[in-house]
Amino acid sequence: MTDRIRDFLRLRRPEGPCLVVDLDVIRENFLNFSKALPDSRVFYAVKANPDPAVLKLLAGLGSNFDCASVAEIDMARNAGATADRISYGNTIKKERDVAAAYNRGVRLFAVDCPEEVDKIARAAPGSRVFCRILCDCDGAEWPLSRKFGCDPDMAVSVLEHAHRLGLVAYGISFHVGSQQPNPDAWDIALKSASAVFRTLSERGIQLRMVNLGGGFPAKYVRDVPAVKTYGQAIFTALRRHFGNRIPETIIEPGRGMVGEAGMIKAEVVLISKKSATDPMRWVYLDIGKFGGLAETMDEAIRYPIRTPRDGDATEPCVIAGPTCDSADVLYEKTPYELPVSLAIGDEVLIEGTGAYTQTYSAVAFNGFDPLKSYVI
Amino acid sequence: MTDRIRDFLRLRRPEGPCLVVDLDVIRENFLNFSKALPDSRVFYAVKANPDPAVLKLLAGLGSNFDCASVAEIDMARNAGATADRISYGNTIKKERDVAAAYNRGVRLFAVDCPEEVDKIARAAPGSRVFCRILCDCDGAEWPLSRKFGCDPDMAVSVLEHAHRLGLVAYGISFHVGSQQPNPDAWDIALKSASAVFRTLSERGIQLRMVNLGGGFPAKYVRDVPAVKTYGQAIFTALRRHFGNRIPETIIEPGRGMVGEAGMIKAEVVLISKKSATDPMRWVYLDIGKFGGLAETMDEAIRYPIRTPRDGDATEPCVIAGPTCDSADVLYEKTPYELPVSLAIGDEVLIEGTGAYTQTYSAVAFNGFDPLKSYVI
């Protein structure tokens, strides 16, 4: 909660639930990333928050952009980024979208299988490709799946295949899992990456880049290490596995760049119990899983919630959204402590919501508008 | 898959993933509901698919409308429904939204706690209220939660409270769980409802209505009983618990009305494996959890998928969406059988997707457009 957001809400009094994002926090985060990992190029993960003002700020600061689609590539270009500062980082691309990116000048693509290499060789000849590898990194709060990446052994053949087809086998990427609280999580992945570098080098292919991915956390309910700590741990791991031949590196912060910059204002619509003897209150807000808080899925991300009654005695409660969908419950398995004095109509502030909220909101579920967003 | 949908896709060849809804199927479903439950009034659950053409058709057929928000109330009115055919069925309402509904002439409201009754007494004086009760109905495919409804004992005091405040204590509602394959699920709930009727009658309050809710299934991968079977089971249960004094009843079909009327056309973006020895293919579509298939959450709803290679030998695969989100996986715990010959670029048809798809799609996650919808 920054003074600028507090002032905005006090003066503008926007109606309905809304997200307010403070650009000053993003600027500071960008500078912190640059300082913590001075030799890495920052590729901001546009999907985290693609608001034009956010992209424009970052483009001006010199950021590069990790894009998930042609639409995101266009957003980055509209914000002022030239094509050489854009990576098409989605491993799942239609061939016509690869061609569209290539026509816009993009020459850096993610792959994780030979089929995707084939598309890029046809539609974006001569481009640089990096292969995403699976990494076994426990501890991330947002569920990591096997959806992206391949086995490191397979990455060797994927990149050899790219090389044979005239592409530049450029590097390796991985992702240690979003909201990764453990700075040492990069170590195992870098060990795998360095093995791929060595094997390919023995076959005459010199990779040049490691994409360290995202995973840098935002502060939610629990404290997280500072970006500096991540920078040190990553540098140590790079030294350990690459010795004096540390490759070019890039990072793709999304949540870590914009998460703490945003705050959602919401309203308590109803507080009730299920029976006369029920010890548990249900607190219903005017925002839920389908209005922007999709990352409460399986109660994965636990946002700090401020109320006008903070300081009063608290009791656990279930928190749910306003739709008629029974799945629209935010926190129930692990109930949430909120003031006993909390009342219907109270305004609550949901912190750390600058990333992965607005663009997730449903177009019109239950007739509710998508989350409004103000970037200040 | 109807001939009209097949022809539309063949002639129009819409670009990108899209939903096509056949109004003829909805008309037939409406008539089937009317026939199966001839003494019940149909309140279509607008949230399932609020497309103006769907609402207009149903309004013309004489349907009433169960609305989750003021926006849905306005959609129903725009489709031609008068206010006396509208129920504000969400138990979670802002008081100013209750007032807005009242100003539009709506006089029927759902409640499940005294706090909500207070709002309605203040903002919609004299209106009819029905109290939703929790019911312990196993077997529904979409997760049932305790989000809506109260204990039947509490419903007695909620409705007495409404009566004291000058509202019409009108009835009881419940929901046996969406996609409920068991027609006998209504029996237990009707037993609870009849007990509330009796208790209140002894205290001089005569309830008049039972809202039987939704829960009527659409056919997905598994066969489901016909609506007629549900009608018979419900009538038997009504007789059992209310004897010769069967109350007025309403039903709120959503999925059962529009689910089978719609079909999503999608494209195979990528098919790959995670290692050279991996037995499992990953099939990536251009639609996923955030593009309209939110109900694949926890693999709850399992849609039938048709491919141009049906009839060829099949093998299990994981199915995932096109976004960079690791949670955007549709079916993995229980892999899906698809033809071994399935190829990148193939068009697939996802059946039974007329309900709870388009309005769930994210506004712009990863830069992808919300699901397009064509109602024919």
Side-chain angles (χ1 to χ4, degrees):
Chain A
M1 179 61 161
T2 69
D3 289 346
R4 296 181 70 227
I5 293 179
R6 188 178 292 115
D7 289 348
F8 175 86
L9 288 174
R10 205 189 53 224
L11 296 170
R12 284 282 296 273
R13 314 248 11 114
E15 161 66 22
C18 67
L19 168 66
V20 189
V21 175
D22 184 343
L23 289 174
D24 284 356
V25 178
I26 300 178
R27 181 180 297 110
E28 197 186 322
N29 287 343
F30 181 84
L31 298 176
N32 282 338
F33 276 115
S34 306
K35 214 182 297 174
L37 292 135
D39 299 320
S40 295
R41 284 206 297 161
V42 174
F43 279 70
Y44 170 61
V46 174
K47 59 184 174 289
N49 189 325
D51 189 281
V54 171
L55 301 184
K56 199 174 161 208
L57 169 76
L58 289 169
L61 290 170
S63 185
N64 305 278
F65 297 91
D66 163 39
C67 296
S69 63
V70 175
E72 285 195 353
I73 290 170
D74 285 339
M75 291 176 212
R77 292 168 71 232
N78 290 338
T82 46
D84 58 312
R85 288 163 64 188
I86 291 171
S87 160
Y88 197 163
N90 195 337
T91 53
I92 310 153
K93 300 173 287 299
K94 291 181 182 172
E95 190 165 327
R96 54 189 184 275
D97 287 341
V98 174
Y102 184 77
N103 287 338
R104 286 159 171 76
V106 175
R107 296 291 181 273
L108 183 59
F109 295 86
V111 297
D112 67 359
C113 63
E115 293 79 3
E116 199 72 12
V117 168
D118 291 341
K119 293 180 197 169
I120 292 167
R122 284 190 298 263
S127 292
R128 296 170 166 182
V129 296
F130 54 91
C131 185
R132 179 156 167 177
I133 55 173
L134 285 164
C135 75
D136 201 8
C137 305
D138 288 341
E141 293 186 10
W142 185 241
L144 192 65
S145 75
R146 287 171 55 84
K147 180 175 177 187
F148 310 103
C150 64
D151 190 83
D153 284 347
M154 181 168 147
V156 169
S157 59
V158 167
L159 287 167
E160 277 189 303
H161 184 60
H163 180 75
R164 269 195 304 272
L165 295 181
L167 296 168
V168 180
Y170 195 59
I172 292 292
S173 77
F174 54 79
H175 200 294
V176 296
S178 199
Q179 189 66 10
Q180 175 54 264
N182 177 15
D184 294 323
W186 277 258
D187 188 73
I188 282 181
L190 281 169
K191 185 178 178 189
S192 298
S194 70
V196 178
F197 267 65
R198 265 194 306 280
T199 307
L200 281 170
S201 174
E202 286 158 15
R203 301 183 192 180
I205 298 172
Q206 310 302 333
L207 298 182
R208 279 184 274 166
M209 185 271 284
V210 174
N211 177 342
L212 301 159
F216 308 98
K219 187 190 171 316
Y220 297 122
V221 167
R222 273 185 270 175
D223 275 327
V224 293
V227 165
K228 207 174 118 185
T229 312
Y230 285 86
Q232 286 162 347
I234 289 171
F235 183 74
T236 304
L238 279 165
R239 271 270 178 250
R240 181 176 303 134
H241 301 296
F242 288 91
N244 288 324
R245 305 182 61 178
I246 292 182
E248 178 186 325
T249 55
I250 71 179
I251 54 172
E252 297 176 332
R255 192 188 302 280
M257 187 76 83
V258 296
E260 291 176 29
M263 216 202 52
I264 286 173
K265 183 214 73 164
E267 180 181 330
V268 176
V269 181
L270 181 63
I271 302 174
S272 63
K273 293 191 171 183
K274 296 294 163 189
S275 73
T277 56
D278 194 350
M280 187 69 76
R281 288 171 303 162
W282 281 66
V283 173
Y284 300 90
L285 304 179
D286 62 357
I287 185 170
K289 257 200 174 72
F290 306 111
L293 301 179
E295 291 207 323
T296 57
M297 193 189 290
D298 299 327
E299 310 193 11
I301 299 293
R302 212 163 164 82
Y303 298 106
I305 301 177
R306 306 288 165 224
T307 79
R309 323 270 179 176
D310 287 355
D312 290 3
T314 65
E315 259 177 13
C317 61
V318 177
I319 303 182
T323 69
C324 285
D325 196 309
S326 52
D328 186 13
V329 175
L330 306 179
Y331 304 116
E332 181 178 18
K333 280 172 230 155
T334 310
Y336 205 102
E337 289 284 333
L338 284 180
V340 182
S341 52
L342 192 72
I344 294 172
D346 278 358
E347 207 169 274
V348 300
L349 303 174
I350 310 174
E351 295 187 338
T353 43
Y356 301 117
T357 50
Q358 200 280 325
T359 52
Y360 266 125
S361 57
V363 275
F365 189 53
N366 275 220
F368 292 115
D369 286 333
L371 184 62
K372 280 195 282 284
S373 167
Y374 302 93
V375 177
I376 59 172
Chain B
M1 178 62 160
T2 69
D3 289 347
R4 296 181 70 225
I5 294 179
R6 189 180 289 112
D7 290 348
F8 175 86
L9 287 174
R10 205 188 54 225
L11 298 169
R12 285 281 296 273
R13 314 248 9 110
E15 162 65 21
C18 66
L19 167 67
V20 189
V21 175
D22 185 342
L23 288 174
D24 284 356
V25 178
I26 299 177
R27 182 180 296 107
E28 198 185 321
N29 286 343
F30 180 85
L31 298 175
N32 282 338
F33 275 115
S34 306
K35 214 183 296 172
L37 292 133
D39 299 319
S40 295
R41 285 205 297 162
V42 174
F43 280 70
Y44 170 61
V46 174
K47 60 185 174 288
N49 190 325
D51 190 281
V54 172
L55 300 184
K56 198 174 162 205
L57 170 76
L58 288 169
L61 290 169
S63 186
N64 306 278
F65 296 91
D66 163 40
C67 297
S69 62
V70 175
E72 285 195 355
I73 290 170
D74 285 338
M75 293 177 210
R77 292 167 71 228
N78 289 339
T82 44
D84 59 310
R85 288 162 65 188
I86 291 171
S87 159
Y88 197 164
N90 194 339
T91 52
I92 309 154
K93 299 174 289 297
K94 291 179 182 173
E95 189 165 328
R96 55 188 183 274
D97 288 341
V98 173
Y102 183 78
N103 287 338
R104 286 158 171 79
V106 175
R107 297 289 181 271
L108 183 60
F109 296 87
V111 296
D112 66 358
C113 61
E115 294 79 3
E116 199 72 9
V117 168
D118 291 340
K119 293 180 198 169
I120 293 167
R122 283 189 297 261
S127 292
R128 296 171 165 182
V129 296
F130 55 92
C131 185
R132 180 155 167 179
I133 55 172
L134 285 164
C135 75
D136 200 10
C137 305
D138 288 341
E141 292 186 12
W142 185 243
L144 192 65
S145 75
R146 289 171 54 85
K147 181 175 176 186
F148 310 104
C150 63
D151 189 82
D153 285 346
M154 180 166 147
V156 170
S157 58
V158 167
L159 288 166
E160 277 190 304
H161 184 60
H163 180 75
R164 268 195 303 272
L165 294 181
L167 297 168
V168 181
Y170 196 59
I172 291 293
S173 78
F174 54 80
H175 200 294
V176 296
S178 199
Q179 189 66 11
Q180 174 55 263
N182 176 16
D184 294 323
W186 278 258
D187 187 74
I188 281 182
L190 282 169
K191 186 178 176 192
S192 298
S194 69
V196 178
F197 268 65
R198 264 194 308 278
T199 306
L200 281 170
S201 174
E202 286 159 16
R203 302 185 191 179
I205 299 172
Q206 310 302 332
L207 299 181
R208 282 183 272 166
M209 185 271 283
V210 174
N211 177 341
L212 300 159
F216 308 98
K219 187 190 170 314
Y220 296 122
V221 167
R222 275 184 269 175
D223 275 328
V224 291
V227 165
K228 208 175 118 184
T229 312
Y230 285 85
Q232 285 160 349
I234 288 170
F235 184 74
T236 304
L238 279 165
R239 271 266 180 256
R240 181 175 304 133
H241 301 296
F242 289 91
N244 288 325
R245 307 181 60 177
I246 292 183
E248 179 186 325
T249 55
I250 72 179
I251 55 171
E252 297 175 332
R255 192 187 302 281
M257 186 76 84
V258 297
E260 289 176 30
M263 215 201 53
I264 285 173
K265 182 213 74 162
E267 180 181 328
V268 176
V269 181
L270 180 63
I271 303 175
S272 63
K273 293 190 171 182
K274 297 291 162 191
S275 74
T277 56
D278 194 351
M280 186 70 75
R281 288 172 302 162
W282 280 67
V283 173
Y284 300 90
L285 304 179
D286 62 357
I287 184 170
K289 257 199 174 71
F290 306 110
L293 301 178
E295 291 207 323
T296 57
M297 191 190 292
D298 299 327
E299 310 193 11
I301 299 293
R302 213 165 164 81
Y303 298 106
I305 301 178
R306 306 289 165 222
T307 81
R309 324 270 180 176
D310 287 355
D312 290 3
T314 64
E315 261 178 12
C317 60
V318 178
I319 304 182
T323 68
C324 285
D325 197 310
S326 51
D328 185 14
V329 174
L330 306 178
Y331 304 115
E332 182 178 18
K333 280 173 231 157
T334 311
Y336 206 102
E337 289 283 333
L338 285 179
V340 181
S341 53
L342 191 72
I344 293 172
D346 278 357
E347 206 170 273
V348 300
L349 303 174
I350 309 174
E351 295 187 341
T353 43
Y356 302 116
T357 51
Q358 201 279 326
T359 51
Y360 266 126
S361 56
V363 274
F365 190 53
N366 275 222
F368 292 115
D369 286 332
L371 184 63
K372 281 194 282 280
S373 168
Y374 302 93
V375 177
I376 59 173

